[in-house]
Amino acid sequence: MASVPSLASTVQQRLADALSAALPEAGSADPLLRRSDRADFQANGILALAKRLKGNPRELATKVVEAIPADDVVKDIEVSGPGFLNITITDEAIVKTLAARAADDRLGVPYSSGAGTTVIDYAQPNVAKEMHVGHLRSAVIGAAMVEILEFTGEKVVRRHHIGDWGTQFGMLIQYLMEHPHELDHKDGGTVSGEEAMSNLNRLYKASRAVFESDEEFKDRARRRVVDLQAGEEQTLAMWQRFVDESKIYFYSVFNKLDMEIDDADVVGESGYNAMLAETCRLLEESGVAVRSNGALCVFFDDVKGPEGNPVPLIVQKSDGGFGYAATDLSAIRDRVQNLGATTLLYVVDARQSLHFKMVFETARRIGWLNDGVKAVQLAFGTVLGKDGKPFKTREGETVRLVDLLDEAVERATSVVREKAEKVGLTEQEIVENGAYVGIGAVKYADLSTSAVRDYKFDLDQMVSLNGDTSVYLQYAYARIQSILRKAGDRRPVAHPELALAPAERALGLHIDQFGEMLAEVAESYEPHKLAAYLYQLASHLTTFYDQCHVLSDDNPAEVVENRLFLVDLTARTLHRGMALLGIRTPERL
């Protein structure tokens, strides 16, 4: 497994060496290399350097050019404008670099040198509650970040911080104790997620109605909360039934989303109960938290209410109950001290940003977060309807996630079916591909928008074959597979001695950027940049098809082999990139 230096990094190194040789007084200056429309790359670092050395930038640029030896990588360098360098590289260097990538399972992408342990908190549904459209983003963005970070060599620990604790359970548990068969399953067979959720919904509505109309039941329910918090055995056993029933439902939804969730990774709010009192004691003894009107609070200079009064983070309420902050701070302690985290990544709605800012600052003050451990909120915006308002049903209810996913698969299946006859798909393939395209469409629409922005949920747009959609990328991949099947005994072989057409160069240079782009995405937690890269890759491929015939009999054998090599490597890059986003690429579509 060899990591392959990108052409950009090779050219950057040549330029840096030439800068040191031509201008020793410059020290180690950055040539500031980037892709360019004028040539393959442009370096504009000499302008800043000339300012610092009080020299003429064009003269300095000419000196640097003279210090670069002609070789098999750099074909041509010209000084343009006030001292920019336009650099063209050889066709041979492009093909040789791509051949080295093709020879490696990981496409020559290096592991990150600074890899550590990231604990990522994502996909956090609530026990005994239906998952709605708002739960989609945390799950999809989180799952993509897990794949991307693992691919770059990070050790990743997944955590699903489900809402499985709190006063509402008193009402539910009390009702179940008085109606013990409400969660029984019809026959001993397996229970569908739909059945589990309808059991929970029915029980929730019934218990709520009694809670609101019967004062004595309300008292019993409140006492039951105390039993739950005290860990009374029978109460805990009933609580566990709600958790188990909810998990049947959660897992069915995640399964629909083509996401794997392991039981061991589901550590809900209840998982930190045993730590809460000690967390509060440590915060109070260290002076990080102080008592205010009986509550244990942390104050901040920059967090004020409308009247200018300080708004604290409440860790423990005056009645002794623990707030979310106590759980979140205990989770930080556990993740840092027991799981050895160097990064804590929270994929959580942007509306909770202030809460997390306060929690992280508190953890820093007491030393659980420090120079060696950082916490980051990967904040995401809201899912909007086509009208640009928060996504609701016609009746004004929040949209059930299951309904949304089912509709996406249904729409996608009809798109696949329209083309199925031409490709010769079986009914089973139509159904399978319909699911891959539908779920892929939903994930890609989410991941191709910068997380922090709101985005419109528009199924017509998502399953469209044109534009920046996952279907467009899936078709690009399937089209290459079809070409490779038609090629018969003609195989993909790299031919560095051949001259490349402009569309071949553009495609090759873009493929070569895959590793650098992934390093950037892993560093900044921005999966939308991977989606943008893949869309550009498919667009370069479309231009390449228009301008360069792959299997034409008019072409010499080595041109055919080289073009097959290029499309094959494109397909592998597409397949790998889509898999990192959690999207499947069917072989035939």
Side-chain angles (χ1 to χ4, degrees):
M1 242 186 30
S3 80
V4 178
S6 69
L7 289 159
S9 67
T10 304
V11 173
Q12 169 96 359
Q13 191 56 54
R14 301 274 156 99
L15 281 175
D17 292 347
L19 268 170
S20 311
L23 309 164
E25 66 275 26
S28 56
D30 185 349
L32 297 178
L33 190 75
R34 58 183 180 80
R35 291 279 281 121
S36 162
D37 301 336
R38 304 257 167 87
D40 295 332
F41 297 102
Q42 188 176 69
N44 41 21
I46 290 177
L47 294 177
L49 191 62
K51 210 169 175 183
R52 188 159 61 99
L53 298 177
K54 300 187 173 48
N56 174 321
R58 270 195 80 92
E59 280 173 21
L60 293 186
T62 310
K63 265 191 187 173
V64 172
V65 170
E66 284 164 2
I68 293 182
D71 59 18
D72 56 352
V73 176
V74 176
K75 180 181 178 185
D76 183 45
I77 301 190
E78 60 159 26
V79 179
S80 86
F84 296 124
L85 296 181
N86 286 336
I87 301 146
T88 306
I89 52 183
T90 65
D91 292 351
E92 180 188 2
I94 295 176
V95 178
K96 277 186 171 167
T97 301
L98 295 181
R101 295 201 175 290
D104 178 48
D105 246 7
R106 292 172 51 83
L107 305 172
V109 176
Y111 287 109
S112 160
S113 55
T117 299
T118 294
V119 176
I120 177 168
D121 187 323
Y122 69 109
Q124 311 105 341
N126 292 313
V127 164
K129 286 199 181 149
E130 189 112 43
M131 288 175 75
H132 56 79
V133 67
H135 289 111
L136 180 67
R137 301 208 72 185
S138 176
V140 169
I141 296 168
M145 277 320 308
V146 167
E147 296 299 327
I148 292 163
L149 288 169
E150 283 191 332
F151 188 68
T152 61
E154 187 77 0
K155 180 185 172 196
V156 178
V157 182
R158 301 158 173 79
R159 278 292 173 266
H160 308 291
H161 190 87
I162 62 172
D164 64 355
W165 203 250
T167 50
Q168 74 278 15
F169 283 101
M171 172 185 90
L172 294 169
I173 292 167
Q174 188 58 39
Y175 187 85
L176 187 58
M177 285 187 155
E178 295 174 18
H179 305 82
H181 298 297
E182 283 298 296
L183 283 183
D184 291 358
H185 299 140
K186 293 189 188 82
D187 47 16
T190 53
V191 185
S192 71
E194 203 58 39
E195 188 192 325
M197 195 61 240
S198 78
N199 279 344
L200 290 164
N201 267 340
R202 194 181 60 245
L203 196 148
Y204 185 85
K205 283 180 182 146
S207 64
R208 184 101 227 148
V210 183
F211 186 82
E212 282 170 359
S213 61
D214 180 340
E215 282 304 316
E216 286 179 0
F217 177 79
K218 193 179 269 191
D219 285 342
R220 293 198 296 277
R222 287 185 173 143
R223 286 200 298 276
R224 187 61 61 195
V225 177
V226 179
D227 292 340
L228 177 64
Q229 287 171 342
E232 193 272 318
E233 206 173 316
Q234 194 191 2
T235 307
L236 273 184
M238 286 290 176
W239 166 81
Q240 191 62 51
R241 286 190 66 187
F242 282 100
V243 174
D244 293 343
E245 193 78 5
S246 299
K247 278 183 176 178
I248 295 172
Y249 163 69
F250 296 158
Y251 293 168
S252 75
V253 178
F254 289 127
N255 200 31
K256 238 178 225 218
L257 265 171
D258 198 10
M259 273 173 57
E260 263 186 47
I261 300 258
D262 290 328
D263 217 41
D265 301 333
V266 180
V267 182
E269 294 168 355
S270 64
Y272 304 99
N273 284 348
M275 300 175 73
L276 300 179
E278 194 187 357
T279 295
C280 291
R281 181 179 66 73
L282 292 168
L283 287 165
E284 192 167 9
E285 282 175 6
S286 64
V288 169
V290 293
R291 292 278 164 192
S292 171
N293 300 328
L296 186 63
C297 302
V298 183
F299 288 92
F300 307 86
D301 293 339
D302 58 345
V303 185
K304 302 263 197 291
E307 274 84 53
N309 302 323
V311 175
L313 180 70
I314 299 173
V315 186
Q316 192 177 20
K317 295 179 264 197
S318 52
D319 65 2
F322 298 105
Y324 285 124
T327 308
D328 286 333
L329 287 160
S330 299
I332 289 177
R333 268 178 65 208
D334 174 59
R335 291 166 185 185
V336 174
Q337 294 165 3
N338 301 330
L339 301 176
T342 48
T343 302
L344 302 175
L345 184 59
Y346 291 79
V347 188
V348 185
D349 191 315
R351 287 170 293 195
Q352 295 187 44
S353 293
L354 180 61
H355 169 77
F356 278 99
K357 182 183 155 190
M358 291 158 82
V359 165
F360 296 164
E361 176 55 32
T362 301
R364 265 193 289 278
R365 287 182 189 177
I366 195 167
W368 298 331
L369 295 176
N370 51 45
D371 291 346
V373 189
K374 63 174 180 174
V376 181
Q377 183 193 354
L378 200 177
F380 55 82
T382 309
V383 182
L384 307 173
K386 279 188 197 179
D387 56 3
K389 296 184 180 138
F391 200 16
K392 303 270 191 220
T393 62
R394 287 206 186 100
E395 298 73 43
E397 302 276 311
T398 44
V399 181
R400 296 169 66 214
L401 185 49
V402 178
D403 295 342
L404 213 71
L405 299 178
D406 287 345
E407 193 185 343
V409 169
E410 203 176 299
R411 295 273 190 98
T413 306
S414 62
V415 169
V416 172
R417 196 177 291 284
E418 275 168 34
K419 295 198 170 246
E421 215 168 298
K422 216 165 92 185
V423 194
L425 296 182
T426 64
E427 182 59 28
Q428 188 190 345
E429 283 176 313
I430 292 173
V431 171
E432 239 171 50
N433 288 354
Y436 294 158
V437 171
I439 297 303
V442 170
K443 287 182 177 179
Y444 187 84
D446 192 319
L447 292 166
S448 57
T449 309
S450 165
V452 76
R453 287 176 48 199
D454 300 343
Y455 82 99
K456 284 186 187 170
F457 195 96
D458 179 351
L459 272 178
D460 296 326
Q461 173 53 38
M462 287 179 190
V463 298
S464 159
L465 302 177
N466 306 315
D468 188 2
T469 63
S470 106
V471 197
Y472 174 65
L473 300 176
Q474 287 168 320
Y475 266 107
Y477 178 80
R479 190 173 174 188
I480 295 174
Q481 297 311 315
S482 157
I483 288 173
L484 294 172
R485 284 192 295 273
K486 278 186 197 141
D489 52 6
R490 291 173 289 186
R491 303 258 62 87
V493 181
H495 285 279
E497 74 282 0
L498 291 178
L500 296 177
E504 292 176 301
R505 290 180 61 90
L507 179 61
L509 285 166
H510 191 71
I511 292 171
D512 187 50
Q513 290 174 289
F514 185 55
E516 284 172 339
M517 179 276 314
L518 279 182
E520 192 184 320
V521 169
E523 180 71 25
S524 61
Y525 309 118
E526 293 180 301
H528 71 276
K529 289 184 173 169
L530 171 54
Y533 169 88
L534 294 170
Y535 175 62
Q536 286 162 342
L537 181 61
S539 306
H540 280 302
L541 181 72
T542 304
T543 309
F544 166 82
Y545 280 143
D546 290 345
Q547 296 177 12
C548 308
H549 294 288
V550 180
L551 296 177
S552 166
D553 291 334
D554 302 339
N555 289 332
E558 56 270 25
V559 170
V560 174
E561 289 175 348
N562 201 52
R563 286 180 178 171
L564 283 170
F565 161 75
L566 268 177
V567 294
D568 184 46
L569 186 56
T570 302
R572 284 176 58 194
T573 308
L574 267 174
H575 174 76
R576 171 71 77 185
M578 292 288 268
L580 293 175
L581 294 178
I583 300 172
R584 305 223 182 209
T585 38
E587 298 290 307
R588 303 195 313 150
L589 255 185

